Amino acid sequence: MTNQIETPLYERFAAKFEIASLQSGNEHLRALRQEAFDIFRSTGFPSVKNEEWRFTNTLPYLKEAYDLEVVTSELSKEAFDQTAKLIAAHLDEVQHSIKGEQKGAYRLVTVNGRINNDLSVLPDAKDLKILSFLDAEHEPAFEQHFGAIATVKDNAFTALNTALYTDGLYLEAPKNKALDRPLHIVNVILADSAVFLQPRHLIVVAAGASLEIIETVITDKTTNPVFVNGVTEIAVAENAHFHHYDIQTGREGIRLVHRTEATQAAGSNYSNYTFTLPGADFVRNNLSLHLNAAGLESHLYGLYLTAGSQLVDNHTEVHHKFPHGESNQLYKGVLLDKSKAVFNGKIYVYQDAQKTNAFQQSNNILFSEKATVNAKPQLEIFADDVKCSHGTTIGQINKEALFYLQSRGISAQSAKKMMVNAFAFDVTEKVKIPALRTYLEQLIAAEMSKHEEA
Amino acid sequence: MLSIKNLHAGVEEKEILKGLNLEVKAGEVHAIMGPNGAGKSSLASVLSGRQNYEVTEGSISLDGKDLLDMSPEDRAREGVFLAFQYPIEIPGVSNINFLKTAMNEIRKYKGLEAMTAKEFLALSKEKQKLVEFDAKLVNRSLNEGFSGGEKKRNEIFQLAMLEPKLSILDETDSGLDIDALRIVSRGVNKLRSKDNAFIIITHYQRLLDYIVPDFVHVLSDGKIVKTGGKELALELEERGYDWIKEETVS
Ligand SMILES: Nc1ncnc2c1ncn2[C@@H]1O[C@H](COP(=O)(O)OP(=O)(O)OP(=O)(O)O)[C@@H](O)[C@H]1O
Ligand SMILES: [Mg+2]
């Protein structure tokens, strides 16, 4: 393949797979992983010649001599203490805005992708089943869904994850169950050296169940390179509801490629809220939804606030396959410094998907002349009785509005913050958990203050 | 209070204000009238510090302080308030939060404590009443979807809240219905004191029946070309501006 990037990393994964495939027990899984690895082997990591990666060159992030074997099942005493301390500080910060406001959330802690029960506060298993991914292989829903949702074809990173994932989460919301409060997943990243992590998750929301998940990230204080190639498969059954909040913060050295792929059944609602903030060097989100029945809805809300030389790339795909589906997509970007953002939103309306309502909007403001954004809607419509609309804007901050606020005594800096919050408002107002919304607004304001020159 | 001397200012090479002089003392109300494009709004912009205007000559001082040296926000904190001819809509910024931020930033500048939520609310209620500003509008996004008249009234509501030293009203009367005009004028009259001053830019003598000015100036082609008492406004209403232009030429 001419598109292939040759990296030592590629060779090392090949060698690793040889060993791993010998160890794998389950026949079905072994076949799946073999197939996935064959795909990765033939395509390699994507280069910018690959249309899907045109504006996002991953090569600079794949050069490190990453440790591929970092996930251990037991944390050392030091690592445990360090993690506990980080979590305490993090929760303080998150809950500062929650104070007195609501009953809080359950807490599920993962360290480098692996569950840590000692640091977690979990709901009753009859309300939500939580297992480590490796322990879930014999769950019926696992057997049904694992590898059947995420698309490995033409997705080298997903193929690589499928072949060589380390561990992750298996969550199953039982039929007609609803937790009394959200589940807060705290993903802790610890890296003593350069590491490559491949978490793999499966979330099953059974018929009539509803689930609210908030994901946040905690990192150590080093700048050691960490590449996280994660995949989350989601199955939302009939009349089930899943509100999925992903708050992506990070630090220098972190590179994140994540694929979230969901299938939805009739009457279901999957809502994804992805907030990406400054910190990580590079983030690529692939969010792909399959509307596999008639009469259901999907919401995709995204906000990226980028800074420094950060690169944040959001690729979304919505597959309308049956009639009367509704998808609603709103992504907003605020770009500071010399950061770069990419938005690519694909909507497919299949021939049978009459009476589809598909809406997509992407708005961006550049705060700096050195920042760039590439935003592209991509609609492919094969049904004739549908309502689809899309719009993309890229602009600067409104100077007239800024002057108006200043003319009332508000400093230029606060005025900018107000305007960024106002710009983000269409997205933040969609957040259904008031405390989380406050937290996000504070995160945005804090980041804006850090970048005073913006 | 305000002293403008030989002010020359323009936008991108184009000179708009061409040697303007104006003295406003505390307690006074000055009306500025003049033909379209004369530079009235430009004067207001220069006073409030709009960025795209460049001052090439002259000076502006407020109670002895050089205004031209200050950022727009510092001018506001020193007590300059402009009620805009065309108030902008800012979706997503709540009217009331915006005002609270403005209020507290001004207080901080003056070394005063921030207002408590309760104090602020009480003040806001009082001032809403003063200008009969609809409570529903207070909580909406700043000017978003407001009617022309509602926007103007919101400007005066903000003015009432911030109690500036020097208020500049740029055509606040245009777009107001007769009742609103009366209400807004009454509000302004209540706010008048021996310590503050108003510059009222208008095309219509009618407003000046309600807010009676101490001086009426005619601004034409970037300069004040005539100054008189309130009767000058009546004369302008009758005769237009041409006779003044002729007068100044001859
Ligand atoms: N940004 C700008 N660029 C170029 N010319 C400008 C700009 N702003 C104002 N002008 C010009 O300056 C002149 C004065 O404009 P200004 O708005 O001050 O007039 P005005 O006296 O307020 O008029 P009106 O009574 O119509 O409101 C006009 O000729 C106008 O076209
Ligand atoms: Mg004007």
Side-chain angles (χ1 to χ4, degrees):
Chain A
M1 283 285 292
T2 51
N3 285 0
Q4 183 164 334
I5 298 174
E6 295 288 342
T7 60
L9 195 58
Y10 172 82
E11 303 300 335
R12 290 175 55 221
F13 274 121
K16 183 176 159 67
F17 187 75
E18 294 304 320
I19 300 165
S21 64
L22 293 175
Q23 293 166 342
S24 178
N26 184 322
E27 196 55 44
H28 170 67
L29 286 188
R30 194 189 322 191
L32 230 136
R33 297 175 93 157
Q34 182 66 51
E35 186 196 349
F37 197 78
D38 289 343
I39 289 174
F40 175 72
R41 199 198 303 273
S42 73
T43 62
F45 291 109
S47 79
V48 291
K49 290 197 191 112
N50 180 325
E51 191 55 33
E52 292 304 299
W53 294 86
R54 227 177 107 199
F55 300 108
T56 299
N57 182 10
T58 55
L59 190 58
Y61 308 114
L62 295 168
K63 279 184 182 154
E64 322 287 344
Y66 292 111
D67 183 349
L68 309 182
E69 311 287 345
V70 71
V71 182
T72 53
S73 41
E74 292 281 324
L75 285 185
S76 70
K77 171 98 177 62
E78 295 86 67
F80 183 88
D81 292 346
Q82 184 195 358
T83 310
K85 230 181 266 163
L86 287 170
I87 290 172
H90 179 63
L91 292 181
D92 240 23
E93 197 186 312
V94 176
Q95 269 158 11
H96 195 66
S97 51
I98 301 183
K99 221 191 279 169
E101 154 120 49
Q102 69 145 24
K103 43 202 186 329
Y106 294 107
R107 185 203 317 156
L108 171 53
V109 175
T110 72
V111 180
N112 291 349
R114 181 156 287 170
I115 293 188
N116 188 300
N117 281 310
D118 297 332
L119 293 165
S120 300
V121 181
L122 301 179
D124 198 301
K126 71 175 188 332
D127 295 325
L128 181 69
K129 190 183 274 185
I130 300 176
L131 293 172
S132 113
F133 198 77
L134 296 181
D135 292 339
E137 286 178 10
H138 300 295
E139 294 293 320
F142 182 99
E143 287 175 346
Q144 186 189 345
H145 296 296
F146 169 68
I149 299 172
T151 311
V152 287
K153 191 172 169 287
D154 300 325
N155 287 312
F157 281 103
T158 307
L160 179 63
N161 176 290
T162 304
L164 284 168
Y165 64 83
T166 36
D167 199 355
L169 299 172
Y170 173 80
L171 307 181
E172 186 184 334
K175 212 169 164 180
N176 296 326
K177 287 281 184 194
L179 282 185
D180 57 342
R181 48 192 131 144
L183 176 70
H184 178 190
I185 301 179
V186 183
N187 293 304
V188 184
I189 295 175
L190 299 181
D192 291 336
S193 59
V195 298
F196 197 102
L197 304 171
Q198 302 210 74
R200 177 78 178 212
H201 312 298
L202 174 59
I203 303 174
V204 179
V205 191
S210 70
L211 184 62
E212 263 184 319
I213 286 183
I214 305 162
E215 296 197 54
T216 61
V217 183
I218 307 182
T219 56
D220 56 23
K221 305 275 180 273
T222 72
T223 57
N224 290 331
V226 180
F227 199 109
V228 186
N229 174 33
V231 174
T232 304
E233 288 179 295
I234 297 168
V236 187
E238 289 79 21
N239 302 315
H241 291 237
F242 182 12
H243 291 275
H244 188 184
Y245 301 91
D246 191 2
I247 319 302
Q248 303 178 319
T249 55
R251 60 148 170 86
E252 188 189 335
I254 296 210
R255 299 89 194 260
L256 173 68
V257 173
H258 199 98
R259 184 171 188 87
T260 301
E261 194 152 352
T263 56
Q264 288 184 245
S268 67
N269 175 347
Y270 175 70
S271 299
N272 181 287
Y273 312 75
T274 300
F275 291 82
T276 311
L277 289 133
D281 301 341
F282 159 57
V283 177
R284 163 70 176 248
N285 292 309
N286 301 291
L287 175 59
S288 180
L289 307 184
H290 300 270
L291 284 59
N292 285 346
L296 40 66
E297 54 181 300
S298 316
H299 301 271
L300 305 84
Y301 302 114
L303 181 76
Y304 40 93
L305 171 63
T306 61
S309 50
Q310 197 178 26
L311 165 59
V312 174
D313 177 346
N314 280 287
H315 268 60
T316 65
E317 272 173 47
V318 180
H319 297 265
H320 282 272
K321 300 181 188 171
F322 290 87
H324 297 284
E326 195 167 317
S327 72
N328 180 21
Q329 187 166 179
L330 177 63
Y331 270 73
K332 290 205 156 190
V334 178
L335 289 92
L336 312 175
D337 309 330
K338 44 187 194 208
S339 62
K340 204 176 141 185
V342 179
F343 173 78
N344 181 289
K346 294 189 182 62
I347 298 176
Y348 300 99
V349 181
Y350 294 50
Q351 206 167 359
D352 290 338
Q354 301 295 357
K355 306 279 180 197
T356 285
N357 266 333
F359 169 82
Q360 181 190 92
Q361 182 75 35
S362 138
N363 306 115
N364 300 275
I365 24 176
L366 301 171
F367 258 83
S368 136
E369 280 165 18
K370 294 201 186 94
T372 54
V373 59
N374 289 291
K376 183 178 164 198
Q378 224 173 303
L379 276 64
E380 292 186 26
I381 300 169
F382 299 101
D384 44 30
D385 186 13
V386 300
K387 269 195 209 130
C388 292
S389 69
H390 65 90
T392 302
T393 62
I394 299 171
Q396 265 92 33
I397 193 152
N398 184 337
K399 293 231 166 70
E400 286 298 308
L402 206 58
F403 174 64
Y404 187 94
L405 298 176
Q406 283 178 274
S407 79
R408 297 299 182 249
I410 297 173
S411 71
Q413 208 46 49
S414 320
K416 277 181 191 161
K417 266 187 234 170
M418 287 173 93
M419 289 188 55
V420 165
N421 262 328
F423 175 78
F425 179 76
D426 305 357
V427 177
T428 49
E429 74 162 350
K430 299 295 189 304
V431 173
K432 301 256 183 321
I433 305 166
L436 179 61
R437 185 168 149 188
T438 309
Y439 173 62
L440 284 165
E441 282 168 355
Q442 286 169 355
L443 271 184
I444 295 167
E447 286 299 337
M448 290 304 294
S449 308
K450 275 192 220 159
H451 301 268
E452 293 283 330
E453 80 285 4
Chain B
M1 167 162 305
L2 178 74
S3 168
I4 304 177
K5 294 208 167 81
N6 189 31
L7 183 66
H8 289 256
V11 177
E12 299 158 6
E13 309 297 293
K14 180 183 169 177
E15 187 167 57
I16 297 169
L17 300 178
K18 305 169 179 172
L20 186 142
N21 295 291
L22 184 66
E23 296 287 329
V24 178
K25 295 204 177 62
E28 292 177 349
V29 172
H30 291 241
I32 296 183
M33 304 180 81
N36 293 133
K40 302 181 297 296
S41 293
S42 300
L43 173 62
S45 292
V46 172
L47 282 170
S48 54
R50 189 189 285 275
Q51 241 171 21
N52 53 337
Y53 282 84
E54 200 193 341
V55 174
T56 48
E57 220 184 309
S59 66
I60 305 177
S61 67
L62 183 72
D63 287 335
K65 285 185 190 161
D66 182 3
L67 268 195
L68 292 176
D69 248 9
M70 294 180 203
S71 63
E73 55 267 39
D74 279 350
R75 296 180 196 206
R77 293 160 181 176
E78 287 290 342
V80 177
F81 182 97
L82 169 61
F84 286 81
Q85 182 172 2
Y86 305 108
I88 189 165
E89 300 191 7
I90 314 185
V93 170
S94 115
N95 213 354
I96 198 74
N97 285 343
F98 142 76
L99 249 183
K100 199 166 165 187
T101 308
M103 192 106 184
N104 283 335
E105 288 207 22
I106 292 172
R107 290 178 69 88
K108 192 168 158 202
Y109 180 84
K110 292 179 175 163
L112 300 170
E113 294 248 329
M115 273 192 158
T116 65
K118 211 171 148 196
E119 288 168 333
F120 180 78
L121 205 71
L123 186 70
S124 158
K125 285 249 166 65
E126 176 197 328
K127 303 296 184 180
Q128 278 168 51
K129 218 175 277 159
L130 183 71
V131 295
E132 295 182 26
F133 188 64
D134 190 341
K136 278 198 284 302
L137 297 177
V138 174
N139 292 310
R140 288 236 306 254
S141 276
L142 190 43
N143 290 330
E144 191 186 20
F146 285 25
S147 75
E150 287 169 343
K151 283 180 188 164
K152 294 298 179 71
R153 233 192 259 208
N154 193 16
E155 295 292 286
I156 303 306
F157 169 59
Q158 292 173 30
L159 189 159
M161 286 294 285
L162 300 176
E163 296 190 331
K165 246 194 253 180
L166 174 71
S167 304
I168 306 146
L169 276 56
D170 191 357
E171 295 196 27
T172 299
D173 52 337
S174 44
L176 287 182
D177 65 44
I178 299 160
D179 290 335
L181 184 68
R182 209 173 293 139
I183 291 159
V184 162
S185 308
R186 204 189 303 137
V188 169
N189 284 330
K190 284 208 187 112
L191 295 167
R192 282 175 75 166
S193 82
K194 62 176 183 9
D195 300 317
N196 62 22
F198 288 81
I199 295 176
I200 295 180
I201 298 170
T202 182
H203 286 294
Y204 305 105
Q205 192 274 330
R206 196 182 53 195
L207 174 68
L208 305 179
D209 282 343
Y210 295 110
I211 307 173
V212 181
D214 300 295
F215 300 93
V216 174
H217 308 277
V218 178
L219 202 165
S220 177
D221 194 23
K223 285 195 286 275
I224 304 277
V225 292
K226 192 167 180 70
T227 294
K230 60 175 191 281
E231 62 294 341
L232 177 57
L234 279 170
E235 196 171 0
L236 291 169
E237 183 99 340
E238 227 161 81
R239 298 176 65 187
Y241 293 111
D242 284 350
W243 60 281
I244 298 175
K245 284 181 193 159
E246 279 154 29
E247 221 173 54
T248 43
V249 169
S250 57

